[in-house]
Amino acid sequence: MVKLLAIVLAVGTMFAACTLLGDDPPENVCESDLDCFTNVEQCNLDEKVCVPKPDAGP
């Protein structure tokens, strides 16, 4: 039982360390439309951010 508890604590510590040391998620910055989700976003070149494409409805 003690070994199982030690293993669970070790695994939990490893996951906590990975979370604390991981990189931040990427920011919503772009230099061209290729930096955005191609089907739903486009790059606003003035603000350098990805924005949703306007609807192509009638």
Side-chain angles (χ1 to χ4, degrees), residues 28-32 43-50:
N28 187 21
V29 295
C30 62
E31 293 187 16
S32 72
C43 185
N44 181 335
L45 296 176
D46 295 330
E47 298 177 15
K48 301 287 187 190
V49 295
C50 296

Side-chain angles (χ1 to χ4, degrees), residues 5-45:
L5 182 60
I7 292 171
V8 169
L9 287 175
V11 170
T13 302
M14 288 187 324
F15 281 119
C18 289
T19 302
L20 292 175
L21 299 176
D23 293 336
D24 292 332
E27 295 183 20
N28 187 21
V29 295
C30 62
E31 293 187 16
S32 72
D33 286 343
L34 297 175
D35 296 332
C36 303
F37 291 110
T38 54
N39 292 334
V40 294
E41 290 184 332
Q42 62 188 17
C43 185
N44 181 335
L45 296 176

